[in-house]
Amino acid sequence: MNPTPRDYHDIPGTYVFDGAHQRKGYWLNMFCKSLDLAANRERFRAAPADYLAGFPMTDAQRDAVLLRDWLGLLRLGGNIYYTFKLAIFDGLSMQHVGAAMSGTGMTVDDFRQMMVSGGRPAEGMRSRRENREACHG
Amino acid sequence: MNPTPRDYHDIPGTYVFDGAHQRKGYWLNMFCKSLDLAANRERFRAAPADYLAGFPMTDAQRDAVLLRDWLGLLRLGGNIYYTFKLAIFDGLSMQHVGAAMSGTGMTVDDFRQMMVSGGRPAEGMRSRRENREACHG
Amino acid sequence: MAELIGGVGTSHVPAIGAAVDHGKTQDPYWKPVFDGMQAARDWVARTRPDVCIVVYNDHASCFSLELTPTFALGVASHYEPHDEGYGPRPVPRVEGAPELSWHLAESLILDEFDITIASQMTVDHGLTVPLSVLFGQPESWPCRVIPLCVNVIQYPPPTGQRCLKLGQAIRRAVESFPGDLRVAVIGTGGLSHQLQGERAGLINAEFDQRWLDEFVTEPDKAAAHDHVELLREAGSEGLECVMWLVMRGALQPEVEVVHRFYHVPASNTAYGLLVLEDAARASRPLAAQPA
Amino acid sequence: MAELIGGVGTSHVPAIGAAVDHGKTQDPYWKPVFDGMQAARDWVARTRPDVCIVVYNDHASCFSLELTPTFALGVASHYEPHDEGYGPRPVPRVEGAPELSWHLAESLILDEFDITIASQMTVDHGLTVPLSVLFGQPESWPCRVIPLCVNVIQYPPPTGQRCLKLGQAIRRAVESFPGDLRVAVIGTGGLSHQLQGERAGLINAEFDQRWLDEFVTEPDKAAAHDHVELLREAGSEGLECVMWLVMRGALQPEVEVVHRFYHVPASNTAYGLLVLEDAARASRPLAAQPA
Ligand SMILES: [Fe+3]
Ligand SMILES: [Fe+3]
């Protein structure tokens, strides 16, 4: 499915889990969901690639899992509530993953500090179009 | 739950699968549903009472299962699409069960004949109240 | 833009599926029923829908008491026939239409229908028998299918009015789909029958015929019968005729009856079959329709 | 007749549950948040609801991609806390209110809400954290609970308007229940936050405060923000604030604010808390309410 453009594609750094995204990431997310079971977590820990081979995912998705490419996982159809199960598996917090997804080399401490200081401001993060216009205007 | 009287309780010979009925028959129906799996069918065939003991049903429900009391099963909270799974288990048709539920000693051939002749007429089967009034009126 | 080419109403009696699967369609018992289907088969062969939205109910097959969605819309790429205790029906796998499904799901939810989105589901006789009615026994089904599963087992099912409105919303959604698809809506279930209790075997042909009349010319009236009246007149399982109203809502208020057939009995059920087109479409010269 | 005694809106941040479970509520980071909850705890201790209808979302815990109900209403006698990967939260089992649940399910479906009926489900932090917010760490929860699980993970969630209307229908249903119950509605989730992508950590206090103002005095306006605007302003996970609108719809148009609290951050989230009563009820002398 070639996703038709949607208004929300204009929002920067945001991966809306719509139908197109769900179809793309279905088995990636279902792999993550499978980690709910302790037995599956053990199998995945023992032989990550073998375990992943049991899910009809793309190679890019498998690589993103193995590399813990948190942003890549979203781009490949992941949903944060599912990919976060992989973070829990690794013993990571949501702030850890949040820092990693920021894509700016932020550390988890930077991220925590940003939150305590009022969070990431919406200014400049609302619209790709507006940002472009502001740049070139 | 003491079911509050409903308009449809006035319809004779009809067990509406509402919330009260569903709660009453939950595990009875879930027992029937379990027969979807061949392995469960074998276990039930080998040791019916033992198998039933695995479901938190009432004794009356268990007896109705063992006796194939098709009408009793409905009265005890059964839903026909679930209890019919028990009939399929026995190799019986819906018309077999229909005859048995009629509660008039009808045979399956009587039932088949009734259907070919246009089915059970609605006349006299619409309303307990109307029937009472017709009797006493 | 996708196009709504017409609607079919048909009972989904399992015995009809069994008659097809076991080669009994020409037995004296079944011949009148299958003869009565021919005009619907001709219509669907002539109009060739790309996608059929099949409005049906699951019979304790894929769904169970744990979770009962009022409306579950399939968005999968395919659906396997469910094993209902005799092994799965020997029919082709049902191929889905996920792009249109997701478009429907998104449109309907934003249009205030509280759809359950089903990404993986099996389909039972409620869906596959209507396909057999329309297409016989092909190697593969000649169209893609979107299952719309309606709860009619757990009281209360959605009201007739709600089903009619859902059909109207489906029409809007189909017509806003940016693809060149011919879409039919198949309403299934009914007509009068009761499988359970001392009234098992109930048939009410008079009610059915009156309801079919209303259904064609005064759909609001057909939708206005409340559940108690349907239970009383059409029988506890006949209530499932509300699913036809989704089909009716997807058509325009004025329709042309392409085919109407009614027969008692098909197993324990009054068999009804109706093929409708929008009046505006039906009056077009035949040449304007694909051969 | 059952009575709607008020509504609470609260974020359901998992870290709040963890702070309670691990005895960190007096840590400098958490103290302001828990201090801000006290007035809500006082309110609920004073008004003592028999049943709380908790409007929340499941976070890929009990539900998964196979099946996504827009609105799933629990009708079970109890609900176990779900294991979200750390073991289930050490909180009491949630006791249900099946009679009222079934009454709601039946009323809502006949009122044209396409509810999914859930007879067996587990509940995750979306439901248990709000209970911890209101009740702390009791041996058993002091009220029965009806879970109303809303899809806000799969796009599209129900619209704000639909949620508001559902609340209105819940009010009608509660008030037609023939039992002497005091019922509160708890809307949970939000306020602004985004867990995912390069915008992770987004907070928009200005939007939240304006939305809370509208929520109290102009609920139709609060409900009218479309999904794109909510995604943009409140963040991809902040969109879940639509669930508060179910609570708002269950109250009268005129409400009295018993308590309002807002704090940034609770973990990655702007924490919001609101306690409302119908204006008519709030103006009653205190003596008329149970001590
Ligand atoms: Fe059916
Ligand atoms: Fe949430």
Side-chain angles (χ1 to χ4, degrees):
Chain A
M1 184 147 103
N2 240 331
T4 37
R6 305 294 191 100
D7 290 348
Y8 45 73
H9 290 156
D10 175 53
I11 306 171
T14 301
Y15 304 85
V16 175
F17 195 62
D18 59 12
H21 212 78
Q22 196 261 25
R23 291 180 69 198
K24 190 158 85 173
Y26 193 82
W27 288 111
L28 165 60
N29 290 309
M30 292 307 257
F31 148 72
C32 294
K33 179 69 179 155
S34 77
L35 301 179
D36 279 5
L37 295 180
N40 291 336
R41 291 195 293 269
E42 274 168 46
R43 287 176 52 211
F44 179 55
R45 205 181 307 277
D50 288 359
Y51 186 75
L52 283 171
F55 294 83
M57 293 155 63
T58 64
D59 287 343
Q61 289 173 329
R62 290 199 186 94
D63 288 346
V65 169
L66 295 173
L67 294 168
R68 305 298 195 264
D69 174 4
W70 302 108
L71 200 52
L73 287 168
L74 296 186
R75 290 182 172 150
L76 296 168
N79 172 282
I80 186 65
Y81 292 115
Y82 289 85
T83 58
F84 186 53
K85 293 173 187 286
L86 184 61
I88 295 176
F89 172 87
D90 287 346
L92 299 178
S93 73
M94 192 60 98
Q95 302 206 326
H96 213 108
V97 179
M101 287 183 298
S102 300
T104 55
M106 215 181 221
T107 66
V108 62
D109 280 332
D110 296 341
F111 191 90
R112 222 171 262 142
Q113 193 46 50
M114 174 179 79
M115 293 315 301
V116 170
S117 314
R120 189 188 302 277
E123 284 67 47
M125 298 298 273
R126 285 191 168 89
S127 160
R128 296 179 199 274
R129 193 176 43 79
E130 271 175 28
N131 290 354
R132 271 196 308 275
E133 283 165 10
C135 266
H136 304 291
Chain B
M1 182 148 104
N2 241 330
T4 37
R6 304 295 190 100
D7 290 349
Y8 46 73
H9 291 156
D10 175 55
I11 305 171
T14 301
Y15 304 85
V16 175
F17 196 63
D18 59 12
H21 211 78
Q22 196 260 26
R23 291 181 68 199
K24 191 158 85 174
Y26 193 83
W27 288 111
L28 165 60
N29 290 310
M30 291 307 258
F31 148 72
C32 294
K33 179 68 179 156
S34 77
L35 300 179
D36 279 6
L37 295 180
N40 291 336
R41 291 195 293 269
E42 273 168 45
R43 288 176 52 210
F44 178 55
R45 205 182 307 276
D50 288 358
Y51 186 75
L52 284 170
F55 293 84
M57 294 155 60
T58 65
D59 287 343
Q61 289 173 329
R62 290 200 185 92
D63 289 346
V65 169
L66 295 172
L67 294 169
R68 305 299 195 266
D69 174 6
W70 303 107
L71 201 52
L73 287 168
L74 297 186
R75 290 182 173 149
L76 296 167
N79 171 283
I80 187 65
Y81 291 115
Y82 289 84
T83 59
F84 186 54
K85 291 173 188 288
L86 185 60
I88 295 176
F89 173 86
D90 288 346
L92 298 179
S93 73
M94 192 60 99
Q95 301 206 327
H96 213 107
V97 178
M101 287 184 296
S102 300
T104 55
M106 215 182 220
T107 66
V108 62
D109 280 333
D110 296 341
F111 191 91
R112 223 170 261 142
Q113 192 48 50
M114 175 179 80
M115 292 317 301
V116 170
S117 313
R120 189 186 301 278
E123 283 69 45
M125 298 298 273
R126 286 191 169 87
S127 161
R128 297 177 198 275
R129 192 175 44 77
E130 270 175 29
N131 291 353
R132 272 197 310 273
E133 282 165 10
C135 266
H136 303 291
Chain C
M1 262 197 9
E3 196 185 1
L4 206 303
I5 63 162
V8 176
T10 173
S11 314
H12 57 218
V13 194
I16 290 177
V20 171
D21 299 344
H22 303 128
K24 298 192 172 161
T25 62
Q26 297 308 303
D27 285 9
Y29 183 93
W30 286 113
K31 191 172 186 319
V33 179
F34 285 88
D35 285 352
M37 289 173 194
Q38 194 52 50
R41 292 183 174 187
D42 294 344
W43 177 81
V44 83
R46 194 172 70 242
T47 57
R48 292 186 310 185
D50 298 303
V51 180
C52 285
I53 299 171
V54 182
V55 188
Y56 76 107
N57 70 290
D58 179 84
H59 303 79
S61 303
C62 179
F63 294 102
S64 162
L65 296 184
E66 285 113 334
L67 205 66
T68 305
T70 293
F71 296 125
L73 185 78
V75 297
S77 61
H78 63 271
Y79 309 90
E80 298 288 348
H82 192 89
D83 180 351
E84 297 177 58
Y86 315 98
R89 283 193 65 205
V91 292
R93 184 172 96 159
V94 174
E95 301 299 323
E99 283 86 358
L100 180 57
S101 279
W102 274 107
H103 175 79
L104 288 174
E106 296 184 5
S107 303
L108 292 172
I109 290 168
L110 294 175
D111 208 1
E112 303 199 355
F113 290 82
D114 316 313
I115 298 301
T116 291
I117 300 171
S119 293
Q120 278 182 285
M121 65 194 282
T122 54
V123 289
D124 73 5
H125 71 267
L127 183 134
T128 61
V129 166
L131 295 182
S132 300
V133 165
L134 289 177
F135 302 116
Q137 287 184 295
E139 279 294 301
S140 62
W141 300 118
C143 66
R144 288 181 286 149
V145 170
I146 295 178
L148 174 54
C149 180
V150 180
N151 165 49
V152 294
I153 291 186
Q154 177 66 61
Y155 187 88
T159 64
Q161 278 108 336
R162 185 65 177 164
C163 289
L164 194 69
K165 287 180 194 171
L166 176 59
Q168 292 160 352
I170 287 174
R171 173 71 173 244
R172 289 191 291 274
V174 164
E175 294 191 337
S176 71
F177 182 72
D180 202 24
L181 290 178
R182 302 166 54 75
V183 179
V185 179
I186 319 295
T188 78
L191 298 180
S192 65
H193 66 300
Q194 176 151 340
L195 301 176
Q196 55 132 324
E198 295 92 333
R199 285 214 315 177
L202 183 100
I203 298 286
N204 191 343
E206 205 180 302
F207 180 84
D208 287 341
Q209 293 286 10
R210 218 176 332 120
W211 187 82
L212 286 171
D213 291 344
E214 291 171 3
F215 186 88
V216 171
T217 57
E218 299 171 281
D220 288 323
K221 210 166 156 184
H225 301 280
D226 69 18
H227 285 347
V228 179
E229 191 189 352
L230 290 178
L231 287 164
R232 203 188 292 283
E233 298 295 335
S236 52
E237 280 63 59
L239 174 54
E240 67 186 19
C241 68
V242 294
M243 293 185 290
W244 286 43
L245 288 159
V246 179
M247 176 272 272
R248 187 63 185 88
L251 298 179
Q252 287 174 358
E254 301 283 313
V255 289
E256 183 94 10
V257 177
V258 177
H259 181 56
R260 175 171 168 168
F261 175 66
Y262 184 82
H263 178 86
V264 174
S267 180
N268 293 7
T269 306
Y271 180 77
L273 176 63
L274 195 57
V275 181
L276 301 180
E277 287 185 1
D278 288 345
R281 163 179 292 271
S283 61
R284 280 200 234 160
L286 259 182
Q289 301 194 359
Chain D
M1 260 194 13
E3 197 184 1
L4 205 303
I5 63 161
V8 177
T10 173
S11 314
H12 57 218
V13 193
I16 290 179
V20 171
D21 299 344
H22 303 127
K24 301 193 171 160
T25 62
Q26 297 309 302
D27 285 9
Y29 183 92
W30 285 113
K31 191 171 185 320
V33 180
F34 285 89
D35 285 352
M37 289 174 193
Q38 194 52 51
R41 291 182 174 187
D42 293 344
W43 177 81
V44 82
R46 191 171 74 242
T47 57
R48 292 187 310 187
D50 299 303
V51 180
C52 285
I53 299 171
V54 182
V55 188
Y56 76 108
N57 70 290
D58 179 83
H59 304 78
S61 304
C62 179
F63 294 102
S64 161
L65 297 184
E66 286 112 334
L67 206 66
T68 306
T70 293
F71 295 125
L73 184 78
V75 297
S77 61
H78 63 271
Y79 309 90
E80 298 289 349
H82 192 90
D83 180 351
E84 298 176 59
Y86 315 97
R89 284 193 65 206
V91 293
R93 185 172 95 159
V94 174
E95 301 299 323
E99 283 86 358
L100 179 58
S101 279
W102 273 106
H103 175 79
L104 288 175
E106 296 184 6
S107 303
L108 293 172
I109 290 168
L110 294 175
D111 209 0
E112 305 199 353
F113 290 84
D114 316 313
I115 298 300
T116 291
I117 301 171
S119 292
Q120 279 182 283
M121 65 196 281
T122 53
V123 289
D124 74 6
H125 71 268
L127 184 132
T128 62
V129 165
L131 297 182
S132 301
V133 166
L134 289 177
F135 302 116
Q137 287 184 296
E139 279 294 301
S140 63
W141 300 118
C143 67
R144 288 181 286 148
V145 170
I146 296 179
L148 174 55
C149 179
V150 180
N151 165 49
V152 295
I153 292 186
Q154 177 67 60
Y155 186 88
T159 63
Q161 278 109 337
R162 184 63 175 166
C163 289
L164 194 70
K165 287 181 193 170
L166 176 60
Q168 292 160 352
I170 287 174
R171 173 71 173 245
R172 291 192 290 275
V174 165
E175 293 191 337
S176 70
F177 182 72
D180 204 23
L181 289 178
R182 301 166 56 75
V183 179
V185 180
I186 319 295
T188 78
L191 297 181
S192 65
H193 65 301
Q194 174 150 341
L195 302 177
Q196 54 132 324
E198 294 92 332
R199 286 215 314 176
L202 183 100
I203 298 284
N204 191 342
E206 204 181 302
F207 180 84
D208 287 341
Q209 293 285 10
R210 218 176 331 120
W211 187 81
L212 286 171
D213 292 343
E214 291 172 2
F215 186 87
V216 172
T217 57
E218 298 171 281
D220 289 322
K221 211 166 155 186
H225 301 279
D226 68 18
H227 285 347
V228 180
E229 192 189 351
L230 291 178
L231 287 165
R232 203 188 293 281
E233 298 295 335
S236 52
E237 280 62 61
L239 174 54
E240 67 187 20
C241 68
V242 294
M243 295 186 289
W244 286 43
L245 288 159
V246 179
M247 175 273 270
R248 187 62 186 88
L251 297 180
Q252 288 174 356
E254 301 285 313
V255 290
E256 184 94 8
V257 177
V258 177
H259 182 56
R260 176 171 167 167
F261 175 67
Y262 183 83
H263 178 87
V264 175
S267 179
N268 293 5
T269 305
Y271 180 76
L273 176 63
L274 196 56
V275 181
L276 302 179
E277 287 186 359
D278 289 344
R281 163 179 293 270
S283 61
R284 280 200 235 160
L286 260 182
Q289 301 193 359

